PDB file of all heavy atoms in Angstrom:
ATOM      1  N   ALA A  61     162.628 146.047 116.244  1.00 91.00           N
ATOM      2  CA  ALA A  61     163.615 147.017 116.706  1.00 91.00           C
ATOM      3  C   ALA A  61     162.993 148.065 117.619  1.00 91.00           C
ATOM      4  O   ALA A  61     161.819 148.422 117.478  1.00 91.00           O
ATOM      5  CB  ALA A  61     164.255 147.711 115.500  1.00 91.00           C
ATOM      6  N   VAL A  62     163.785 148.556 118.551  1.00 94.00           N
ATOM      7  CA  VAL A  62     163.369 149.649 119.420  1.00 94.00           C
ATOM      8  C   VAL A  62     162.961 150.829 118.548  1.00 94.00           C
ATOM      9  O   VAL A  62     163.622 151.146 117.559  1.00 94.00           O
ATOM     10  CB  VAL A  62     164.518 150.045 120.382  1.00 94.00           C
ATOM     11  CG1 VAL A  62     164.195 151.318 121.135  1.00 94.00           C
ATOM     12  CG2 VAL A  62     164.805 148.900 121.348  1.00 94.00           C
ATOM     13  N   GLY A  63     161.841 151.456 118.891  1.00 94.00           N
ATOM     14  CA  GLY A  63     161.343 152.599 118.139  1.00 94.00           C
ATOM     15  C   GLY A  63     160.292 152.242 117.102  1.00 94.00           C
ATOM     16  O   GLY A  63     159.657 153.115 116.533  1.00 94.00           O
ATOM     17  N   THR A  64     160.063 150.938 116.866  1.00 94.00           N
ATOM     18  CA  THR A  64     159.071 150.497 115.894  1.00 94.00           C
ATOM     19  C   THR A  64     157.663 150.771 116.426  1.00 94.00           C
ATOM     20  O   THR A  64     157.357 150.479 117.579  1.00 94.00           O
ATOM     21  CB  THR A  64     159.218 148.988 115.617  1.00 94.00           C
ATOM     22  OG1 THR A  64     160.529 148.735 115.131  1.00 94.00           O
ATOM     23  CG2 THR A  64     158.196 148.502 114.603  1.00 94.00           C
ATOM     24  N   PHE A  65     156.801 151.314 115.576  1.00 95.00           N
ATOM     25  CA  PHE A  65     155.406 151.579 115.932  1.00 95.00           C
ATOM     26  C   PHE A  65     154.609 150.292 115.747  1.00 95.00           C
ATOM     27  O   PHE A  65     154.724 149.642 114.712  1.00 95.00           O
ATOM     28  CB  PHE A  65     154.826 152.681 115.043  1.00 95.00           C
ATOM     29  CG  PHE A  65     153.433 153.081 115.410  1.00 95.00           C
ATOM     30  CD1 PHE A  65     153.202 153.899 116.501  1.00 95.00           C
ATOM     31  CD2 PHE A  65     152.352 152.632 114.677  1.00 95.00           C
ATOM     32  CE1 PHE A  65     151.915 154.280 116.856  1.00 95.00           C
ATOM     33  CE2 PHE A  65     151.060 152.997 115.014  1.00 95.00           C
ATOM     34  CZ  PHE A  65     150.839 153.827 116.110  1.00 95.00           C
ATOM     35  N   ILE A  66     153.826 149.904 116.762  1.00 95.00           N
ATOM     36  CA  ILE A  66     153.028 148.675 116.673  1.00 95.00           C
ATOM     37  C   ILE A  66     151.603 148.926 117.159  1.00 95.00           C
ATOM     38  O   ILE A  66     151.336 149.858 117.891  1.00 95.00           O
ATOM     39  CB  ILE A  66     153.653 147.510 117.463  1.00 95.00           C
ATOM     40  CG1 ILE A  66     153.631 147.777 118.966  1.00 95.00           C
ATOM     41  CG2 ILE A  66     155.061 147.213 117.007  1.00 95.00           C
ATOM     42  CD1 ILE A  66     154.010 146.566 119.786  1.00 95.00           C
ATOM     43  N   ARG A  67     150.724 148.036 116.729  1.00 96.00           N
ATOM     44  CA  ARG A  67     149.331 148.028 117.186  1.00 96.00           C
ATOM     45  C   ARG A  67     149.094 146.697 117.893  1.00 96.00           C
ATOM     46  O   ARG A  67     149.496 145.655 117.397  1.00 96.00           O
ATOM     47  CB  ARG A  67     148.375 148.163 116.016  1.00 96.00           C
ATOM     48  CG  ARG A  67     148.523 149.468 115.288  1.00 96.00           C
ATOM     49  CD  ARG A  67     147.552 149.552 114.110  1.00 96.00           C
ATOM     50  NE  ARG A  67     147.884 150.649 113.243  1.00 96.00           N
ATOM     51  CZ  ARG A  67     147.571 151.928 113.470  1.00 96.00           C
ATOM     52  NH1 ARG A  67     146.927 152.253 114.558  1.00 96.00           N
ATOM     53  NH2 ARG A  67     147.906 152.863 112.615  1.00 96.00           N
ATOM     54  N   ILE A  68     148.420 146.763 119.046  1.00 95.00           N
ATOM     55  CA  ILE A  68     148.150 145.577 119.841  1.00 95.00           C
ATOM     56  C   ILE A  68     146.638 145.415 119.945  1.00 95.00           C
ATOM     57  O   ILE A  68     145.947 146.332 120.390  1.00 95.00           O
ATOM     58  CB  ILE A  68     148.745 145.703 121.261  1.00 95.00           C
ATOM     59  CG1 ILE A  68     150.232 146.054 121.183  1.00 95.00           C
ATOM     60  CG2 ILE A  68     148.513 144.434 122.065  1.00 95.00           C
ATOM     61  CD1 ILE A  68     150.783 146.645 122.459  1.00 95.00           C
ATOM     62  N   ALA A  69     146.122 144.273 119.538  1.00 92.00           N
ATOM     63  CA  ALA A  69     144.697 143.970 119.644  1.00 92.00           C
ATOM     64  C   ALA A  69     144.512 142.936 120.752  1.00 92.00           C
ATOM     65  O   ALA A  69     145.015 141.816 120.644  1.00 92.00           O
ATOM     66  CB  ALA A  69     144.160 143.441 118.325  1.00 92.00           C
ATOM     67  N   ILE A  70     143.812 143.340 121.809  1.00 85.00           N
ATOM     68  CA  ILE A  70     143.532 142.442 122.923  1.00 85.00           C
ATOM     69  C   ILE A  70     142.043 142.091 122.836  1.00 85.00           C
ATOM     70  O   ILE A  70     141.192 142.945 123.100  1.00 85.00           O
ATOM     71  CB  ILE A  70     143.870 143.103 124.276  1.00 85.00           C
ATOM     72  CG1 ILE A  70     145.332 143.558 124.286  1.00 85.00           C
ATOM     73  CG2 ILE A  70     143.578 142.130 125.423  1.00 85.00           C
ATOM     74  CD1 ILE A  70     145.697 144.465 125.430  1.00 85.00           C
ATOM     75  N   PRO A  71     141.714 140.865 122.430  1.00 81.00           N
ATOM     76  CA  PRO A  71     140.309 140.483 122.245  1.00 81.00           C
ATOM     77  C   PRO A  71     139.469 140.721 123.500  1.00 81.00           C
ATOM     78  O   PRO A  71     139.939 140.529 124.620  1.00 81.00           O
ATOM     79  CB  PRO A  71     140.379 138.994 121.925  1.00 81.00           C
ATOM     80  CG  PRO A  71     141.759 138.783 121.401  1.00 81.00           C
ATOM     81  CD  PRO A  71     142.626 139.764 122.151  1.00 81.00           C
ATOM     82  N   SER A  72     138.254 141.156 123.308  1.00 75.00           N
ATOM     83  CA  SER A  72     137.297 141.442 124.390  1.00 75.00           C
ATOM     84  C   SER A  72     137.786 142.517 125.347  1.00 75.00           C
ATOM     85  O   SER A  72     137.317 142.605 126.478  1.00 75.00           O
ATOM     86  CB  SER A  72     136.972 140.170 125.179  1.00 75.00           C
ATOM     87  OG  SER A  72     136.483 139.186 124.326  1.00 75.00           O
ATOM     88  N   PHE A  73     138.762 143.296 124.929  1.00 78.00           N
ATOM     89  CA  PHE A  73     139.231 144.364 125.797  1.00 78.00           C
ATOM     90  C   PHE A  73     139.418 145.653 125.016  1.00 78.00           C
ATOM     91  O   PHE A  73     138.580 146.520 125.030  1.00 78.00           O
ATOM     92  CB  PHE A  73     140.510 143.943 126.532  1.00 78.00           C
ATOM     93  CG  PHE A  73     141.011 144.989 127.486  1.00 78.00           C
ATOM     94  CD1 PHE A  73     140.215 145.470 128.497  1.00 78.00           C
ATOM     95  CD2 PHE A  73     142.285 145.500 127.356  1.00 78.00           C
ATOM     96  CE1 PHE A  73     140.671 146.451 129.363  1.00 78.00           C
ATOM     97  CE2 PHE A  73     142.750 146.471 128.211  1.00 78.00           C
ATOM     98  CZ  PHE A  73     141.944 146.948 129.230  1.00 78.00           C
ATOM     99  N   THR A  74     140.495 145.790 124.299  1.00 80.00           N
ATOM    100  CA  THR A  74     140.763 147.035 123.592  1.00 80.00           C
ATOM    101  C   THR A  74     141.867 146.847 122.563  1.00 80.00           C
ATOM    102  O   THR A  74     142.550 145.830 122.552  1.00 80.00           O
ATOM    103  CB  THR A  74     141.155 148.154 124.583  1.00 80.00           C
ATOM    104  OG1 THR A  74     141.144 149.404 123.916  1.00 80.00           O
ATOM    105  CG2 THR A  74     142.528 147.905 125.185  1.00 80.00           C
ATOM    106  N   ASP A  75     142.032 147.840 121.728  1.00 89.00           N
ATOM    107  CA  ASP A  75     143.179 147.936 120.823  1.00 89.00           C
ATOM    108  C   ASP A  75     144.000 149.132 121.283  1.00 89.00           C
ATOM    109  O   ASP A  75     143.441 150.194 121.570  1.00 89.00           O
ATOM    110  CB  ASP A  75     142.735 148.157 119.380  1.00 89.00           C
ATOM    111  CG  ASP A  75     142.017 146.951 118.794  1.00 89.00           C
ATOM    112  OD1 ASP A  75     142.023 145.884 119.426  1.00 89.00           O
ATOM    113  OD2 ASP A  75     141.446 147.084 117.704  1.00 89.00           O
ATOM    114  N   VAL A  76     145.300 148.952 121.374  1.00 92.00           N
ATOM    115  CA  VAL A  76     146.193 150.044 121.761  1.00 92.00           C
ATOM    116  C   VAL A  76     147.342 150.097 120.770  1.00 92.00           C
ATOM    117  O   VAL A  76     147.601 149.144 120.040  1.00 92.00           O
ATOM    118  CB  VAL A  76     146.728 149.886 123.207  1.00 92.00           C
ATOM    119  CG1 VAL A  76     145.626 150.057 124.225  1.00 92.00           C
ATOM    120  CG2 VAL A  76     147.422 148.554 123.400  1.00 92.00           C
TER     121      VAL A  76
END
Side-chain angles (χ1 to χ4, degrees):
V62 171
T64 301
F65 184 77
I66 67 170
R67 297 179 193 280
I68 307 161
I70 304 168
S72 303
F73 182 57
T74 192
D75 292 350
V76 292

